[in-house]
Amino acid sequence: MHLEGSCHCKSVTFNVESPHPVPYMRCYCSVCRKTGGGGGYAINLGATHDSLSLQGEENIRVYQAMIEDPQTGKTSESPAERSFCGLCGTALWVWDSRWPELLHPFASAIDSDLPAAPSHNHIMLEFKASWVPLERAEDDACFDAYPDESLADWHERMGLAAQVDN
């Protein structure tokens, strides 16, 4: 599915091809919550990195979070690069060198109509802020950390992988 996105001030606009555009996974980790999720979570979509077409690149800034390992207490820089507009602060996408072919736009930065999710996955609940209500529907799944199922696998299982361009 072809997606168009932008920051709030329109200094950055982009297009990307997304084989996995259903906004179903809500991430409650502190990094997503604080950098892109004013409602207590953020939603990332699945797109192909090489399809990214970008205008306003000079306005983009990149943030790499410092992550503390909850078991060891050791802190290290995340390889995930979170791109945002340096003028208005809009969270745009996440790219990670461990999966260089993928790009994960924030659903909140997408201007195109997105398909409705038949259910939601609530992930990283171990890090959910206490003030955030868990709005869980009957068919939703909840995970303290990451689920075993990828964005691609979820779309396939739900029968949405081939339907998104229709």
Side-chain angles (χ1 to χ4, degrees), residues 22 30-31 34 50-51 68 71 81 110 119 123-124 126 134 141 143 150 165:
V22 179
S30 65
V31 181
K34 291 184 177 199
D50 66 355
S51 70
E68 182 179 324
Q71 295 176 346
E81 297 180 2
I110 300 300
S119 65
I123 70 166
M124 304 299 280
E126 175 183 352
L134 182 60
F143 303 91
S150 70
D165 285 324

Side-chain angles (χ1 to χ4, degrees), residues 6-153:
S6 64
C7 65
H8 184 260
C9 72
K10 303 290 190 207
S11 295
V12 177
T13 59
F14 63 95
N15 299 297
V16 68
E17 295 302 319
S18 176
H20 311 117
V22 179
Y24 78 95
M25 190 167 358
R26 299 176 180 187
C27 183
Y28 295 82
C29 81
S30 65
V31 181
C32 284
R33 177 170 36 90
K34 291 184 177 199
T35 62
Y41 58 84
I43 299 173
N44 291 336
L45 307 173
T48 56
H49 184 267
D50 66 355
S51 70
L52 178 64
S53 172
L54 175 61
Q55 299 77 42
E57 185 172 5
E58 68 277 8
N59 298 312
I60 293 178
R61 304 295 178 267
V62 174
Y63 174 67
Q64 288 181 264
M66 295 302 291
I67 306 291
E68 182 179 324
D69 184 317
Q71 295 176 346
T72 66
K74 182 181 175 186
T75 302
S76 60
E77 185 177 73
S78 169
E81 297 180 2
R82 295 168 183 278
S83 292
F84 64 97
C85 176
L87 300 175
C88 70
T90 299
L92 299 167
W93 59 78
V94 178
W95 178 80
D96 193 313
S97 61
R98 294 172 289 184
W99 303 278
E101 70 281 3
L102 302 176
L103 186 76
H104 297 288
F106 285 98
S108 56
I110 300 300
D111 300 317
S112 304
D113 286 335
L114 294 172
S119 65
H120 295 95
N121 279 3
H122 303 268
I123 70 166
M124 304 299 280
L125 290 172
E126 175 183 352
F127 305 102
K128 183 179 80 57
S130 62
W131 59 266
V132 177
L134 182 60
E135 297 173 356
R136 180 182 182 196
E138 186 177 330
D139 292 337
D140 288 0
C142 294
F143 303 91
D144 284 338
Y146 290 110
D148 290 334
E149 186 175 50
S150 70
L151 287 167
D153 292 341

